[in-house]
Every structure is written in structure tokens, then in C-alpha cells.
Amino acid sequence: MRNAGCFRVRLVTVLLNNFKSKDNVELRRLSVELIILITLFLLTFNRAELKAEELPLYLTYAADDFPASMVLPKGQLELDLRYAFFNDAVDVFGFREKEKDKLAVSSNFSFGDYRALSLGVHYGLTHHLMLSFDYDYRTLGYQGVDLNFSGLKFSARYSLNGCFAVDIGVKYDQTKDTSVTNVEYINYYLHKFKSNLNLEVDSQYVWYVLTYPDMVVRYGLPKTAEPELRMEDLQDYTGYLRFTLGKAWEKFYPNIFFEFGYTHIDTKMDTNLKDMIPDGYRSYLPDFPLDMSREEKYISAGFSLFFQTPYDTITHIEYTYMYLFRDADINYAPKNQIIRAGIAYLLTQNIILHVGGTYLHSQFNGVVPFLYNKYTQTTFDHPYGWAEVGVSYLF
């Protein structure tokens, strides 16, 4: 980079000396053209290095793996710490109530509160290659319990001249086995197996209720244990490839991207009802345990825009359209739309503060793959979102 700069200075000096001769008009014209051509060539040849030096530093930071065509400068290390949350204060659009009305249950049957603590590490290995590692620990109010799950992501981004980048990565989500004991939640699943079958529980009996247009049949057995449904082996693995095309101007940096991914999901469902239900009702339940493991593919495309805004800030807007390829019996919600927006503030040359939010048109559909299965798929057709704050430190 330094040698290229010295060469440009010497070349410009020699050419400018020719302008002192008033009788050499043609040479001056050719010199100007040559200066333009060589400068354009050198700018293109050294584009990745030039962008890292000329752009404001906070235009190139890599927080949360933003789709972008550039990488961190060689040798730069970035650490990100982010906290995301969703609760009553954030639910200004009434996401919970819409979901509750959709499911037609009296209890708070929703994904509920959401909290996520994330750590990201990004390193510019060369002028063209950046490595990223992200760890997330999330708590989600899910079917009457707090579902705690972890996510890992590793990716490598290769940038060609700062205008075109290829990302390749792997993602992993996992949580421990969880039990659903709330009767309304259990009935939600029972209706998937047998639409007119309900469970009622009191202090001594478990009642199995069949509702017909002209009568109701109730069969009670002494309660030997609390009924429960168990979700087991909840985990997913995703490999993905992303292509990003972008161009950075002084105050505006737009990107468009296309991504392809392949996911393997492990999910099992089991219940103690299979040992408690009356003999005449056993045929109403599937053959537990249910193995709902599957593979799916997705494609996504969108844009990621960065604007240099007043007071040492950068505004980021990102839109993603995702389409998922699943088997016919699990294809109720095959698409999702995700919007992310935020503002980053350059506190110092090394510290960046950022605040923003994420909107999902179809909740966690395709975002946390193991949450979507044959029996939960109809709960993924309404919106969700969260707010986020964070800090990045550049070494």
C-alpha cells in the first residue's frame, strides 16, 4: 500500500513538470489522461486496503455479522457484547395478544418474554479474509416454561476488492429436554392428534373428555402422576453460504446479498399419557415417542444499508426475505421476512455503542429451526420482535 502511494507521488510529480512547457499542449492532455487511467487502476487494485484506511472506522465494524462486502482491516480484533429483550414494555405492537387470539386459549399461550446475551469475536486475518465467532445464550418463554438455549456460529468472509464477499459458516442451536405440564398446552397438542379430545385434571383424577355434537363422554382414572409432554433432543445444525455485493461511498454503503443454507434438526416428543390413558382411548394418540427429526433447506436474499449520520453515528437498515423448503406435511409457514435497524455511536476510536431492534414477520420460523415442527408450525404465522443494546471494542 505504501509503495503504491509513493509510486503515485513520483508519477504525478514527473507529469506535472511537463505542464511548465507552454509549447507542449498535447503532452499535457495525454498526461492528464494517463494520470486518470493509472489512478483508477491503482484504486481498483488496492481497493480493499484503501477502503479500510479511508472509510470511517465505524463503517467497517462487523457487529452481529452484518451482511457486508468488506472485512475488518488486517490484524484488527473486534469484540461485541449485545443484550436483546422482549417484554411488556417492548410489545408496543401487541404481538402477544395477536398470538393469544390466534390460538384461542385463555392462558398466556405465547412465546412470551425473550432475553438474549451474545458475545461476538471478529478478526481481520488478512486484507481479504475475516473470521467470526458468535455465542448466544437465550431465554424464551415457551409453552409455559422458560426455555434456555445456546447458539454457536463460526464463519469466514473473503472479500474481493471490498466490493464482493463470500461468507461460509456453520450455526448450531441446542437446549436441554423440556417438559410441558400446563393442561392447556397439553390440550393444544391433543387437538392435533384428536380434534375432540381434551384432558381435565383435578386433585384426584385425570379425565379424558370426548366432545361430540350431541353428547360429551368423560372417562376418569385415578391420578398417579401429573400428565406431561416432553420435548427431547432439541438441536439443529446449519451450514450456509452467502454472497454479498456492495459499494462504499463516503457517507453511504449499500449491500445486496443472497444466502443458501442446509439444516438438520433433531426433535423428539414423548408423554406419560401413553401409560395413563384408558385402553379404549389409546388409538387416539400417536405411537410415542415421536421422532420428528428432519432436514430442510432455505434461500434468503435482501439488502443491508449503512448511512453515515450526524454526531458520529452510523445508521443500519437490513431486510431479509427467507424461503424454506420443507416436506409437504410441515410446510404451513414456508417463508419469513426479517427487518433489522439500529444506530451505532462512535464513542471513541475503539468503542462503539449501538441500539436497535429486530422484527420477524413469522416469529422464529427459520431463525431457530428446532422450535418449528409438525405440531407447532401453525404458531409461526404472526409477528414477533425484540429490542437490542450493545457495545463493540476494537483492538
Side-chain angles (χ1 to χ4, degrees), residues 87-107:
N87 51 35
D88 286 332
V90 178
D91 190 18
V92 294
F93 298 106
F95 293 159
R96 280 176 170 169
E97 290 303 315
K98 291 176 182 177
E99 183 171 341
K100 185 176 176 180
D101 293 341
K102 163 73 177 177
L103 296 170
V105 295
S106 58
S107 65

Side-chain angles (χ1 to χ4, degrees), residues 173-186:
D173 298 300
Q174 184 271 338
T175 187
K176 63 181 182 180
D177 297 349
T178 183
S179 295
V180 176
T181 57
N182 183 287
V183 175
E184 274 195 294
Y185 290 83
I186 294 176

Side-chain angles (χ1 to χ4, degrees), residues 110-117 136-151 173-180 185 189 229-236 266-268 364 368-373 376 380 384:
S110 73
F111 282 100
D113 288 356
Y114 174 72
R115 301 183 301 277
L117 187 63
D136 301 302
Y137 185 80
R138 292 172 273 190
T139 300
L140 180 64
Y142 182 73
Q143 299 184 348
V145 298
D146 280 341
L147 189 65
N148 299 309
F149 56 100
S150 302
D173 298 300
Q174 184 271 338
T175 187
K176 63 181 182 180
D177 297 349
T178 183
S179 295
V180 176
Y185 290 83
Y189 284 100
L229 285 173
R230 294 188 299 275
M231 306 300 293
E232 303 171 346
D233 297 336
L234 293 168
Q235 56 188 346
D236 58 67
D266 289 322
T267 307
K268 291 183 175 66
F364 291 95
V368 184
F370 71 71
L371 292 178
Y372 186 101
N373 60 57
T376 64
F380 281 85
Y384 196 74

Side-chain angles (χ1 to χ4, degrees), residues 41 45 63 77 131-132 147 160 177 229-230 251 258 365 368:
F41 172 79
F45 185 78
L77 174 67
L131 304 178
S132 296
L147 189 65
L160 181 64
D177 297 349
L229 285 173
R230 294 188 299 275
K251 295 186 178 182
F258 174 84
N365 185 19
V368 184

Side-chain angles (χ1 to χ4, degrees), residues 340-386:
R340 302 169 64 193
I343 297 177
Y345 171 64
L346 185 65
L347 184 64
T348 70
Q349 283 297 108
N350 301 98
I351 300 175
I352 299 170
L353 306 178
H354 38 96
V355 59
T358 297
Y359 166 84
L360 303 112
H361 186 68
S362 300
Q363 289 192 343
F364 291 95
N365 185 19
V367 178
V368 184
F370 71 71
L371 292 178
Y372 186 101
N373 60 57
K374 181 178 180 180
Y375 301 107
T376 64
Q377 59 179 329
T378 55
T379 70
F380 281 85
D381 59 350
H382 36 269
Y384 196 74
W386 57 79

Side-chain angles (χ1 to χ4, degrees), residues 6 62 67 71 105 107 121 134 196 247 266 269 280 282 294 301 309 321 325 330 367-368 393 395:
C6 293
V71 296
V105 295
S107 65
V121 181
D134 291 274
N196 63 335
K247 179 175 177 58
D266 289 322
M269 180 187 291
R282 289 185 185 275
R294 69 182 194 276
T309 41
Y321 179 89
F325 299 89
I330 196 173
V367 178
V368 184
Y393 189 86
F395 291 90

